[in-house]
Amino acid sequence: MMGFIWFIIMGGLIGWVASMIMNRDAAMGKFWNVVVGIVGSFIGNTLFSFILGTGDIGSWPPDLMGIASALLGAVVLLGVLNLIQRGNVRGE
């Protein structure tokens, strides 16, 4: 149970940082930050695991490569969403 709670907290933090990087913070709430962080974690671990190694954001102590791949995945996810919604990647 504690791993699940930690996974949600880390997903929220990763989603928030990714939204700050991609200039989407004002348009997203806490719920969507968590969703972007968790989905980004799956995307990141799928796409970047061969470079960074596999990682788990729900483990204790936190795996830094898992956090890095989750952040990269969340940034990629927000970039694709910006491209679809606004026509450019950064959303400016």
Side-chain angles (χ1 to χ4, degrees), residues 16-69:
W16 175 67
V17 170
S19 69
M20 297 286 281
I21 291 170
M22 298 301 291
N23 293 327
R24 295 274 306 209
D25 192 45
M28 297 176 55
K30 291 177 182 74
F31 174 76
W32 289 111
N33 282 336
V34 172
V35 170
V36 165
I38 291 172
V39 173
S41 174
F42 290 120
I43 292 170
N45 282 321
T46 301
L47 295 177
F48 304 115
S49 64
F50 64 93
I51 297 170
L52 299 173
T54 58
D56 182 18
I57 66 170
S59 65
W60 186 259
D63 183 16
L64 294 179
M65 289 301 125
I67 292 171
S69 64

